[in-house]
């Protein structure tokens, strides 16, 4: 099951994204945006350099001006092939020349600029030296919602990624767990994600028994035993968009307490999902899920936010956390993933990706949320 290939994004799509980003920057009081290689550059232009090197590559966006991509001359042919290239101007520079002087000529010497989070300090310091009157702010701080609202084509890709992750779970629940190392099951999960169309696997958490109490446990050499609760959390990128889902299975029959905690987390996850609607605050989703767990006396064991955004990366704004008052908007996509983690004993997490609709929310993961018994 790899599914049909999605409709490709066009130069017009990338032009619209760059225009929107430049306008949002102006509305935020910025002179423009400086975007280094990484997810933001891919989302805005379709261009991913063949390798991230010390040579400066930077997209310069400013309202009312043509977008400019500064690239090393040896990588200009690749940049010209990017789908979004017709919507921007290329300015290339050769080794031995000063790329910061070239870039400085494109900037307001006294402006404040948003800079993509993964820009190298080396390059930012070079620009500051060339233009000491400029100042900078991270893109996530300045425009946290830039990529948050997905269009129909993006939602289609996210749904396909979610379906592929679901297919991987339906397969992994049928493999043998007992007697095998966590790392072996994690390798099975990674292979399944790739079989079902993922080009990139970002994580395959397999946390058995007491390891389940660590939300970000790295699958290791522990042998899974009968009687273990096992947290499975896995995802990556399919056609450039992310999947991320968690299910907690049990090897053999669970105890009454294990069933009770699993049911509690399932109820909390459902409460978080039902809180999703346009106009609700992000923190309302966290509050709804957390209230269920706290009400049952396990509040101190829910030790992370309820959710994170997802798109061209598997973790991005918006975040479902107390204090985040931004309203939910149709097209936003994020996880709803409450958990309970009992140190030294076991953990439970249940996670779906959810998108905001015009009148509520829609899950992009549909595998069973009841406890699954595995061998």
């Amino acid at each position: 099951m790899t599914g049909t290939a999605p409709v490709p994004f066009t130069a017009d799509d990338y032009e619209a994204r760059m225009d929107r980003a430049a306008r949002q920057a102006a509305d935020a009081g910025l002179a423009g945006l400086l975007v280094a290689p990484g997810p933001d550059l891919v989302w805005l232009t379709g261009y991913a350099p063949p390798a991230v090197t010390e040579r400066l590559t930077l997209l310069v966006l400013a309202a009312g001006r043509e977008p400019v991509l500064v690239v090393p001359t040896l990588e200009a042919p690749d940049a010209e092939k990017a789908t979004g290239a017709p919507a921007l101007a290329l300015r290339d520079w050769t080794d031995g020349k000063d790329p910061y002087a070239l870039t400085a000529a494109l900037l307001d010497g006294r402006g404040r600029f948003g800079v993509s989070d993964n820009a190298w300090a080396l390059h930012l310091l070079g620009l500051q030296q060339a233009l000491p009157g400029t100042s900078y702010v991270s893109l996530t701080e300045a425009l946290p919602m830039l990529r948050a609202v997905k269009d129909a084509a993006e939602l289609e890709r996210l749904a396909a990624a979610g379906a592929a992750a679901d297919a991987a779970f339906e397969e992994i629940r049928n493999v043998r767990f007992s007697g095998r190392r966590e790392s072996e099951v994690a390798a099975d999960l990674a292979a399944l994600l790739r079989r079902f169309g993922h080009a990139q696997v970002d994580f395959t958490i397999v946390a058995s028994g007491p390891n389940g109490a660590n939300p970000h446990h790295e699958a290791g050499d522990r042998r899974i035993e009968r009687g273990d609760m096992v947290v499975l959390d896995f995802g990556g990128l399919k056609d450039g968009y992310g999947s991320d889902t968690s299910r907690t299975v049990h090897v053999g029959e669970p105890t009454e307490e294990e069933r009770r905690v699993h049911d509690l987390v399932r109820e909390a996850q459902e409460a978080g999902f039902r809180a999703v609607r346009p106009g609700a605050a992000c923190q309302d989703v966290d509050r709804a899920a957390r209230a269920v767990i706290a009400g049952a006396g396990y509040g101190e064991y829910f030790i992370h936010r309820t959710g994170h955004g997802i798109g061209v990366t598997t973790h991005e704004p918006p975040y479902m956390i107390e204090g985040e008052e931004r309203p939910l908007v149709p097209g936003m996509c994020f996880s709803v993933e409450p958990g309970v983690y009992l140190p030294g004993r076991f953990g439970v997490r249940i996670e779906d990706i959810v998108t905001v609709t015009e009148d509520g929310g829609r899950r992009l993961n549909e595998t069973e949320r009841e406890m699954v018994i595995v061998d």
Side-chain angles (χ1 to χ4, degrees), residues 33-38 40-42 45-60 68-80 82 88-93 95 98-100 102-103 106 115-116 118-120 122-124 127:
L33 301 180
L34 307 177
V35 184
D40 291 310
L41 185 63
V42 172
T45 68
Y47 176 54
V52 177
T53 73
E54 73 284 358
R55 294 183 174 94
L56 178 71
T57 296
L58 202 66
L59 175 68
V60 179
V68 178
L69 181 62
V70 177
V71 294
T73 300
L74 77 168
E75 293 177 3
D78 293 306
E80 290 171 348
L88 51 78
L90 287 178
R91 297 286 185 270
D92 65 308
W93 61 277
D95 287 350
D98 183 353
Y100 307 113
L102 171 64
T103 307
L106 304 171
V115 181
S116 55
N118 52 345
W120 286 19
L122 170 72
H123 299 319
L124 191 57
L127 287 174

Side-chain angles (χ1 to χ4, degrees), residues 165-166 168-178 180-182 185-186 189 205-213 222 224-234 245-255 257-259 261-263 265-266 340-341 345-351 367-375:
D166 282 358
F169 176 74
E170 294 296 352
E171 292 281 341
I172 203 70
R173 63 183 289 181
N174 294 318
V175 309
R176 185 167 186 82
F177 279 68
S178 60
R180 301 180 70 209
R181 292 184 174 87
E182 293 173 339
V185 177
L189 261 176
I205 294 173
V206 178
S208 62
N211 289 340
R222 183 183 186 276
I224 302 170
E225 303 172 356
R226 293 196 69 79
D228 279 347
M229 195 85 89
V230 184
V231 179
L232 305 173
D233 184 347
F234 50 97
T245 188
S246 301
R247 293 292 184 264
T248 303
V249 302
H250 198 278
V251 186
E253 286 300 315
T255 65
E257 182 189 20
E258 288 170 332
R259 280 199 179 276
V261 173
H262 191 280
D263 286 346
V265 174
R266 181 170 52 82
V340 168
Y341 308 94
R345 302 182 62 205
F346 65 88
V348 177
R349 181 164 63 256
I350 300 172
E351 173 186 15
T367 53
E368 188 173 351
R369 295 174 196 90
E370 301 283 346
M371 182 179 287
V372 170
I373 307 300
V374 297
D375 291 330

